[in-house]
Amino acid sequence: MNDHELPILPSFVRGEWWAPTAPDATAAGEASAAVVRDATTGEPVTRVSTEGLDLGAALEYARTVGQASLGELTFHQRAVLLKRFALALSERKDELYGLSARTGATRKDSWIDIDGGIGVLFTYSSKGRRELPNARVLVDGPVEPLSKDGSFLGRHIYTRLPGVAVQINAFNFPVWGSLEKFAPAFLAGMPTLVKPATPTGYLAEAFVRILVESGLLPDGSLQLVSGAVPDLFEHLRLGDLVGFTGSSATAERLRAHESVQTGGVRFTSETDSINASVLGTDAVAGTPEFDAYVQQLVTEMTAKAGQKCTAIRRAIVPAASVDAVIDAVRARVAERVVLGDPRAEGVTMGPLASLAQRDEVLRQVGRLERAGGELVIGSTDAPAVRLADGTEGPAPEGAFVAPMLVRFTDASAEALHEVEAFGPVASITGYGSLDEASALVARGGGSLVTSVATHDPDVAVAIASAIAPMNGRLLFLDRDDARSSTGHGSPVPHLVHGGPGRAGGGEELGGIRAVQHHMQRTAVQGSPEMLTALTGVWHAGAAARPYEASGEPHPFRKSLAELRIGDQVASPPRTVTLEDIETFATFTGDTFYAHMDEAAAAANPFFPGRVAHGYLLVSWAAGLFVDAAPGPVLANSGLEHLRFLTPVAPGDAIRVELTAKQITPRETDEYGEVRWDAVLKNQRDELVATYDVLTLVAKQAVPA
């Protein structure tokens, strides 16, 4: 098939697949379509063009249809869908692996990208159900009393942004790079438009197609643009968000656009990062830390052929250890690295993503050499590689580059800290002191990650205190975690992925903060009743319904279908005696002097004399509010935020008010969690203790 006969890679917009072969396509668009080739063989894979695509309409579809369909779902419902997306991709990931090999990725490289992306979906599904309410509004932080009588309160809430999350992704991780941004946006309730890089966009198209064919995607929640987006920013507006991964030059050009500067569009970027790995002064040859350092350095040079924004670009080692590290890296490369077609048996490193990328890497290596770097491992010559049939030979159409290590005797050389060869290339230099090592790390101008191999806590603390402000992530590698560590170059969805300065300035990805990044935090002020309505969480001072006065059943007799926010138990008082205190002390073994020694207790500035145990009071409170018979309440699952405020002396009486504060049904179970506001008061109406009680409650009442 001739290049011009190749089908054009389709986009998925406005609920359907689109390509310039439709009636609105132009002959010019067909002629100008870019040809994408197999990174190993140079064979054509597909063509890419967006000629005639209405980006404005695609964005509006997300803002209307996508917003509406996602807005109907709670956090937990979206989280359940994320898991189902992950399962759908897992069932067909062999298809993705087959395509991934065409990008130059080995089986292990593909695992990082494909399984890593699927793992992100699983992680956000789990975190969403564990850490977010089954609601559409997220409460942030504690309530702020704004009046003495409690009638005026303030609180922060997160609500989803009303626009579309636009992804502009790099070529190196077409699956993981998209899913790490899509998952938190989807969980927040914000539709996504993905624009993958052209050289590997066909792999992004494949995973989107699987999700579309699964029938699980809410309408408008995910769109894909396969190709250029020249007028994209002209269509963006307040409420939209752009997440960019790529070069710092492109990021700055996009950031300068009027829609970002004055139009209110949120823009975050992950860009160039001259990441470092420091060998501690204690990690000499022969130590487990030295071995782990070398193993990690070679892995980061060769995984994805070094095409990772988190790869090690600078190996910073004690001056006395430079030669030993070079020798060990050379030996490991010779032993472990087999360069060739990823589909050939035994190959451990494939080509770069394209011939253009190969040429760019070689150009940057030339810059390093002209700046004083000495190529001590590898060569810029075209390497012999293992071909698909198992033979060794040249591959003139393949984008192959051998692993290279460049030595700098002058650690202050600017190129060492500024030039990034985005391939299997790292530089090595020596340092004299920990202060010097830290200063060299900082010369990178801000990084995504720095790793430190040391077993000496003093070395770790000294380096961390100096370089933490210059990094989004720090990894400390030693004999205790070397086997379990995810590695220098592997960000995890639980933690920050981003970095200051040159790395782009972002730290929005990672954990629930990534969900909040796709939402607006707003301070809301009002009465307890109004804040209860706005947040779905009961606030002290809002209406409560004590069952004793309402004639309704005890709240513990109500299923989730029957229970309402504000349902309350208001108990009668119970008097504490000295005998109660001594019995509890003897039974538990808690004979702390404040409970048993009158003189010592009275000498304590916090107590009037002997006082009751706090845990005695909490235990009594349970007895005052509980309904003992079997019913919808299945279990007590915890107690949070306990504070003891006023000591209780013999002769004092306590009572409890227990109010249904928050109700969280579980989407996949026949029960949910109820958070109860518990308040203990004495006979003078003084607060004795406050805390939250957590119970698991059946969704429906069980027939007697």
Side-chain angles (χ1 to χ4, degrees), residues 550-571:
S550 68
E552 294 187 4
H554 188 290
F556 280 25
R557 309 310 308 164
K558 294 182 175 183
S559 67
L560 289 191
E562 302 162 315
L563 191 67
R564 293 174 294 166
I565 295 294
D567 283 354
Q568 186 181 80
V569 177
S571 80

Side-chain angles (χ1 to χ4, degrees), residues 566-588:
D567 283 354
Q568 186 181 80
V569 177
S571 80
R574 178 170 177 175
T575 301
V576 180
T577 68
L578 190 59
E579 182 182 1
D580 293 326
I581 297 172
E582 292 180 343
T583 299
F584 190 83
T586 302
F587 183 73
T588 63

Side-chain angles (χ1 to χ4, degrees), residues 565-696:
I565 295 294
D567 283 354
Q568 186 181 80
V569 177
S571 80
R574 178 170 177 175
T575 301
V576 180
T577 68
L578 190 59
E579 182 182 1
D580 293 326
I581 297 172
E582 292 180 343
T583 299
F584 190 83
T586 302
F587 183 73
T588 63
D590 180 0
T591 56
F592 184 62
Y593 73 87
H595 312 306
M596 304 300 290
D597 186 327
E598 181 68 29
N604 186 308
F606 298 109
F607 304 125
R610 293 175 70 178
V611 296
H613 305 69
Y615 298 116
L616 166 61
L617 304 177
V618 171
S619 299
W620 273 13
L624 291 170
F625 65 63
V626 76
D627 182 280
V633 175
L634 306 174
N636 181 329
S637 61
L639 182 153
E640 294 181 350
H641 311 306
L642 175 61
R643 293 292 183 271
F644 296 116
L645 304 171
T646 302
V648 173
D652 286 345
I654 65 162
R655 60 185 176 84
V656 63
E657 292 176 355
L658 186 80
T659 310
K661 183 177 184 178
Q662 187 174 21
I663 301 173
T664 305
R666 296 194 179 186
E667 287 297 318
T668 55
D669 298 299
E670 294 306 312
Y671 61 89
E673 181 183 82
V674 178
R675 181 178 293 268
W676 304 84
D677 181 82
V679 176
L680 273 64
K681 296 182 180 180
N682 62 20
Q683 71 276 15
R684 295 180 294 275
D685 249 11
E686 297 169 326
L687 284 177
V688 169
T690 61
Y691 53 100
D692 287 354
V693 176
L694 308 179
T695 61
L696 301 178

Side-chain angles (χ1 to χ4, degrees), residues 446-469:
S447 300
L448 295 171
V449 54
T450 290
S451 59
V452 182
T454 179
H455 196 54
D456 186 336
D458 291 337
V459 171
V461 170
I463 294 178
S465 61
I467 70 172

Side-chain angles (χ1 to χ4, degrees), residues 182 197 257 269 474 481:
F182 168 72
H257 195 279
S269 63
L474 297 179
D481 68 4

Side-chain angles (χ1 to χ4, degrees), residues 170 244-254 269-272 502:
F244 171 83
T245 301
S247 73
S248 57
T250 303
E252 289 311 305
R253 178 173 57 80
L254 296 177
S269 63
E270 178 200 319
T271 59
D272 310 341
R502 177 173 181 153

